[in-house]
Structure formats: structure tokens, C-alpha cells
Amino acid sequence: MLPHAVIRKGTFAKYDYGLLGNLRRYGHLRPPAFDLSSIPESLPIWMGYGGLDALADVTDVQRTIRELGSTPELLYIGDYGHIDFVMSVKAKDDVYVDLIRFLRENGWHNSY
């Protein structure tokens, strides 16, 4: 199982396996927090989130942004839930055009 972030508890930490699971995996009763301030300010970051996202809601995204040392470029789509960024039939136009523009502006180029 891959570690997942835990934001609902007010922290941004690795997956919480429960007291014993955390002790086995991490050596601590609680999962370790991610130190977002250690991400270099020079690293370009793009974040997309939606108004209907139950996994990364607006409050979670705002908390994450405050912990970053830099200001990410944001794409907010009010009527998108978490899976819509991947599964929506409109994601190509709503999400990926902007994401590809961001990547190209920051030095990523593909051969397509």
C-alpha cells in the first residue's frame, strides 16, 4: 500500500495505518508529517482543485499553500470533484490545456 496524505486531521502527513501499523512502518504512533517548507521556492508548482472535491477541498488546498515556501499556480474548477480531473469528458479542455501550457512555460517539451 502506498502512503497517502492525511489532511482531515489538520496535518499533512503520510498514511495513518493506526497505532500499531504506524509503529511498525514508521517507528512512531503517528504518521510522520511532510515538511512542505522544504520544497524549493524555485520549483514551479501547478495545482488543480475543485469545489466539489471531497478529498482535497478548498480548505485543504489553502492550508497546503500556506505551508509551501512558494506560490503555486492554481486552477480552480467549481463543479469538479476529485475524480473529474481524470475522468471528466471535458478534462482535456478544462484541465489539461492549462496543465500542458504550464509545463511548456516551465521548460517541459514533448515530441507530440
Side-chain angles (χ1 to χ4, degrees), residues 39-94:
I39 297 173
E41 290 184 30
S42 60
L43 179 68
I45 299 174
W46 180 95
M47 294 172 65
Y49 65 109
L52 302 177
D53 194 330
L55 296 176
D57 63 24
V58 174
T59 302
D60 295 339
V61 172
Q62 290 170 345
R63 181 182 300 132
T64 301
I65 292 168
R66 281 194 305 271
E67 291 184 24
L68 286 170
S70 61
T71 303
E73 185 170 321
L74 302 173
L75 173 66
Y76 173 77
I77 305 174
D79 62 348
Y80 263 44
H82 200 78
I83 196 70
D84 293 322
F85 283 85
V86 177
M87 299 295 292
S88 171
V89 296
K90 302 184 312 177
K92 176 187 173 284
D93 296 320
D94 292 347

